[in-house]
Amino acid sequence: MAETRLPETTVENILEFYDEAPCGLLSTRPDGTIVAANDTLLAWTGRRRDQVLQRIRIQELLSIAGRVFWDKHLFPMLRMQGQMHEVALDLLEPEGRRIPVLLTGAAKLDADGAPVLFRFTILDATERRQFERDLLRARARAERSAESKAELVHMVGHDIRSALNGILGGAALLADTDLSDEQQEFLRFVQQAARTLLDLSDNVLRAGRIEAGGLVPEEREFDLRELVARSCDLLRPRAEEKGLSLTAETDPAIPDRLIGDPVKLGQVLGNLLGNAVKFTRVGSVRAEAWLAADLCDSVLLDFRVSDTGIGIAAERLHRIFEAFTQESYETGLEHGGAGLGLAICQRLLGLYGSRLEVESEPGRGTTFGFRLRLMKA
Amino acid sequence: MIGSRGPGREQDERASPAASPAALRDPLLRHNVTVAGSGAETLVFAHGFGCDQNIWRLVAPAFSATHRLALFDWPGCGGAPAEAFDPVRHRTLQGYADDLLAICAALSLKDAVFIGHSVSAMIGLLAAIREPTRFSRLVLVTPSPCYLNAEGYAGGFEPEDIDELLELFENNRLGWPAALAPLVMGNPERPDLTAELEASFCRTDPEVARSFARVTFLSDNREDLPQVRTPSLILQCAQDVIAPETVGAYMHRAMRDSRLVTLSASGHCPQLSAPEDTIAAIRTYLGIRHG
């Protein structure tokens, strides 16, 4: 007080400020008995000072639920921690009307550290409570709307797939008929484009499923060596077509049988290998799995898929895991695809608490890696 | 890590989140068990809903010269990891009793004294029915076998009171800040910052709190009371909204070898509001001379 410098004509009346403060002020003994309250608070609660002081406990201004909350949580917190911050409660008027408030409190301790008083500031939170309710409602609306959009994508995706399968089937029948070289060439374009579109719709459907939280990793026994080899075999025809060498190596120290989700792990490896083959014109693609640590009942494995492809510029590296972006718009056009694959890999790995990492040098190649903890069978 | 070719066998720095699988399997780590004091007899202290083992801070040390003390946290409360919480097993108080018995087994307890507050009094009672040799005596602090009013029984609460209470817990520290803290901190990649913000007395994981509150306030264990063979002390407070005096009297009638003591302290947490009286009542019951 002595430090406060006011114009000489203005003198603060501390008592008046206490009573007329734009917030409720309240002091209680540790058992909750009210020993002081300002006018603002008394006006809110519709009670006279002589009805309150030494007569009622703060718990009696609360609903039954509020009293329990006080006893089970707020009182222990004040007693042990000496303070509580902006707790949302309702004060009850004698007629039963509720006033939403925010209660902040601190304990005044005696020389031995035992509390003698609890002091509270109480803010009227009617508007804030309304705002919170609006927020909750808005969130519920947004979630419903996202759900219905996901359903729409799912439905349209399936319709597109059926139509594409019709096109591919028709094209296959057409290929068996007598066609000129030129016609065969045109038909190959149609088949290629239809297949690309089919992959894309598969990916959209899969991404939608992960988004909806509908994917839970399975846990079953599988052979990791076989999985890595099979993932490579699936890509081998495409790699050979481009004259690329495709090799797999699995650390001999990795146990034969592990527990995990071979389908999802296969999807991740397949996606990474598919990208590597797609973005490499000459050279090689390589899949590796190494034992990083043996943790008794589980193992930490490092997976790597590397290529000698076109690489990714440093400034674009951080964006490649976002859905619907591909390394660049140009390569997207050249190589096709909506850039969903990496986003899907990232989300699948996220189910295991893992994530994809990437290192790349434009013109030299790219390495994708991730680390997984798998239980031993 | 990606660049290196060949097997690297370094310890993984990202591999240990809040709780390692080993910590989750060991009941002593899973429940943040603290052992102190020395003596032939062990006192096991169990905290109630909305708190953690710190609630015994003013009472437990008084017994450290005469007893071995074991304190612990329920899953997701205080220092016990939320991963220790099993949404299926912890749907009933029996699931919590399993936890308590696992702690007892890990400490090789026989004829210990169980001291449980509020809902934990019921959990201890269920554990004592299942494995009667673990505890020689039960101290039940402000217990209630059923919070809801029923035919011929005044638990003190109507269903809508419980709903409002669950909402209160949800709207307050147990719900809002945990959900909002990452947004406020703007740094979801650094859970340690958020954890620091939330870490405090009575810290409870919001998911766990919701479930624990539900099982606490909606359980009805009245039929279990006559099955208890273990002698017990029922410690109740005057003017306790949560466990009214009529409830203490009901328990005393239903439990064969029970003693009922009513402390003059008001409220639900005599270990905080009247630690001296609480210590004295437990000492008298255990037959320890007042020091």
Side-chain angles (χ1 to χ4, degrees):
Chain A
M1 251 286 287
E3 294 297 316
T4 320
R5 287 197 176 272
L6 296 166
E8 277 170 36
T9 49
T10 316
V11 177
E12 175 59 294
N13 180 340
I14 298 296
L15 283 178
E16 183 192 275
F17 179 45
Y18 177 85
D19 266 327
E20 296 174 6
C23 61
L25 296 169
L26 180 76
S27 308
T28 74
R29 282 203 288 268
D31 70 356
T33 306
I34 296 172
V35 292
N38 72 346
D39 289 349
T40 313
L41 183 76
L42 292 166
W44 286 350
T45 60
R47 290 174 173 91
R48 290 195 320 271
R49 187 165 264 112
D50 62 317
Q51 295 174 312
V52 169
L53 297 195
Q54 309 290 353
R55 297 221 162 191
I56 62 172
R57 297 190 294 155
I58 183 172
Q59 294 93 310
E60 290 163 63
L61 296 177
L62 309 174
S63 64
I64 292 186
R67 284 180 208 184
V68 174
F69 190 56
W70 173 272
D71 275 343
K72 288 207 80 86
H73 195 65
L74 301 181
F75 169 69
M77 212 157 61
L78 272 173
R79 179 67 185 81
M80 305 303 286
Q81 204 167 267
Q83 55 184 311
M84 59 186 229
H85 189 64
E86 293 201 346
V87 172
L89 283 172
D90 285 353
L91 290 186
L92 293 186
E93 278 193 326
E95 313 88 81
R97 201 171 65 93
R98 284 162 178 257
I99 311 156
V101 294
L102 287 176
L103 206 66
T104 295
K108 162 92 181 153
L109 308 176
D110 67 12
D112 299 328
V116 284
L117 284 175
F118 293 149
R119 290 166 169 167
F120 300 97
T121 57
I122 302 171
L123 300 176
D124 184 335
T126 310
E127 277 180 34
R128 172 174 147 160
R129 200 68 63 83
Q130 187 57 45
F131 179 59
E132 285 171 0
R133 271 198 201 107
D134 290 349
L135 267 179
L136 288 177
R137 266 189 222 124
R139 189 180 74 178
R141 263 203 308 276
E143 281 169 357
R144 272 199 305 276
S145 143
E147 258 168 48
S148 60
K149 271 182 202 139
E151 261 169 50
L152 182 73
V153 166
H154 190 75
M155 240 165 54
V156 172
H158 275 287
D159 289 350
I160 291 175
R161 271 181 63 94
S162 334
L164 280 173
N165 280 323
I167 292 173
L168 282 167
L173 291 175
L174 189 59
D176 281 344
T177 60
D178 218 359
L179 295 177
S180 72
D181 286 353
E182 198 184 21
Q183 284 170 325
Q184 276 177 9
E185 177 73 15
F186 292 158
L187 185 59
R188 255 201 303 282
F189 286 153
V190 171
Q191 285 174 315
Q192 214 167 24
R195 249 180 241 121
T196 308
L197 210 46
L198 194 62
D199 281 349
L200 172 60
S201 64
D202 276 350
N203 276 347
V204 168
L205 286 175
R206 208 172 291 148
R209 258 191 16 241
I210 304 177
E211 197 93 67
L215 277 193
V216 182
E218 234 188 292
E219 294 221 330
R220 63 175 147 105
E221 223 182 292
F222 72 103
D223 182 335
L224 185 82
R225 261 173 214 89
E226 195 189 297
L227 180 79
V228 173
R230 207 180 53 228
S231 303
C232 286
D233 288 345
L234 285 175
L235 267 302
R236 204 169 300 285
R238 255 155 80 184
E240 277 168 3
E241 210 173 284
K242 297 179 78 171
L244 303 173
S245 90
L246 177 57
T247 51
E249 185 173 359
T250 313
D251 193 336
I254 295 177
D256 284 337
R257 310 295 292 172
L258 294 168
I259 293 173
D261 190 330
V263 176
K264 291 192 183 61
L265 184 54
Q267 274 172 10
V268 173
L269 288 175
N271 239 314
L272 294 179
L273 284 166
N275 272 345
V277 170
K278 191 195 282 179
F279 291 113
T280 304
R281 288 197 190 96
V282 284
S284 61
V285 169
R286 188 173 163 76
E288 297 163 72
W290 296 105
L291 182 70
D294 194 325
L295 307 167
C296 296
D297 50 357
S298 62
V299 285
L300 275 182
L301 302 179
D302 280 341
F303 291 87
R304 279 193 285 272
V305 172
S306 45
D307 64 53
T308 56
I310 55 174
I312 305 163
E315 66 271 20
R316 293 191 183 120
L317 265 183
H318 66 282
R319 294 192 53 230
I320 59 170
F321 297 123
E322 293 166 21
F324 305 107
T325 66
Q326 210 163 36
E327 186 268 323
S328 80
Y329 182 54
E330 289 80 11
T331 54
L333 280 186
E334 185 185 340
H335 300 279
L340 266 176
L342 289 176
I344 289 172
C345 287
Q346 196 67 291
R347 285 177 200 165
L348 285 173
L349 288 172
L351 298 174
Y352 289 94
S354 173
R355 53 181 295 119
L356 265 184
E357 291 182 14
V358 60
E359 276 178 8
S360 187
E361 206 178 318
R364 299 291 297 275
T366 305
T367 300
F368 282 93
F370 58 92
R371 181 170 278 193
L372 269 193
R373 181 206 291 274
L374 293 174
M375 299 302 286
K376 290 181 193 170
Chain B
M1 147 227 149
I2 293 168
S4 63
R5 305 267 155 172
R9 291 214 161 74
E10 83 279 19
Q11 267 302 308
D12 180 34
E13 65 286 353
R14 295 169 305 170
S16 47
S20 69
L24 288 179
R25 267 193 306 277
D26 180 349
L28 301 186
L29 296 175
R30 191 172 67 212
H31 292 287
N32 189 29
V33 175
T34 324
V35 177
S38 59
E41 200 171 39
T42 302
L43 306 184
V44 180
F45 289 90
H47 70 85
F49 169 69
C51 274
D52 59 37
Q53 60 181 277
N54 279 306
I55 197 146
W56 298 107
R57 212 156 64 194
L58 305 177
V59 165
F63 297 92
S64 64
T66 50
H67 288 77
R68 185 161 79 124
L69 315 175
L71 292 96
F72 67 95
D73 294 326
W74 294 117
C77 305
E83 290 88 339
F85 173 79
D86 179 336
V88 177
R89 190 157 57 86
H90 292 112
R91 208 179 281 159
T92 66
L93 291 184
Q94 289 289 358
Y96 285 90
D98 287 342
D99 285 351
L100 175 58
L101 290 171
I103 295 170
C104 290
L107 292 173
S108 310
L109 292 185
K110 193 176 171 295
D111 292 334
V113 176
F114 175 81
I115 302 176
H117 179 219
S118 202
V119 67
S120 288
M122 283 308 121
I123 298 169
L125 193 142
L126 293 173
I129 295 171
R130 292 246 303 277
E131 293 184 20
T133 58
R134 294 286 182 200
F135 303 124
S136 66
R137 277 164 296 184
L138 308 174
V139 176
L140 312 175
V141 182
T142 56
S144 170
C146 179
Y147 293 95
L148 287 172
N149 296 324
E151 182 89 38
Y153 172 82
F157 295 88
E158 292 298 329
E160 50 270 28
D161 297 326
I162 306 286
D163 286 345
E164 191 193 333
L165 178 68
L166 295 175
E167 200 177 307
L168 265 179
F169 274 104
E170 203 138 320
N171 286 345
N172 276 295
R173 225 168 55 81
L174 305 173
W176 266 107
L180 288 182
L183 300 179
V184 177
M185 302 297 289
N187 208 343
E189 261 76 58
R190 293 279 314 275
D192 51 321
L193 287 181
T194 317
E196 203 174 312
L197 195 76
E198 287 170 38
S200 61
F201 177 64
C202 296
R203 190 199 62 80
T204 308
D205 178 86
E207 279 302 312
V208 178
R210 250 193 298 281
S211 162
F212 197 9
R214 211 165 285 276
V215 66
T216 295
F217 290 105
L218 300 179
S219 290
D220 181 353
N221 295 100
R222 285 177 294 163
E223 290 184 1
D224 297 307
L225 302 180
Q227 297 179 45
V228 182
R229 298 280 189 282
T230 316
S232 52
L233 168 68
I234 300 163
L235 261 189
Q236 64 172 13
C237 289
Q239 296 182 308
D240 180 355
V241 198
I242 301 172
E245 287 185 45
T246 51
V247 167
Y250 176 94
M251 287 190 66
H252 180 44
R253 276 199 308 276
M255 295 172 67
R256 58 190 80 184
D257 199 356
S258 66
R259 195 183 298 176
L260 176 66
V261 170
T262 304
L263 300 170
S264 58
S266 65
H268 186 61
C269 304
Q271 69 272 59
L272 293 184
S273 58
E276 292 306 326
D277 292 353
T278 308
I279 293 166
I282 298 174
R283 277 196 172 139
T284 305
Y285 182 66
L286 297 182
I288 308 167
R289 283 221 192 118
H290 287 240

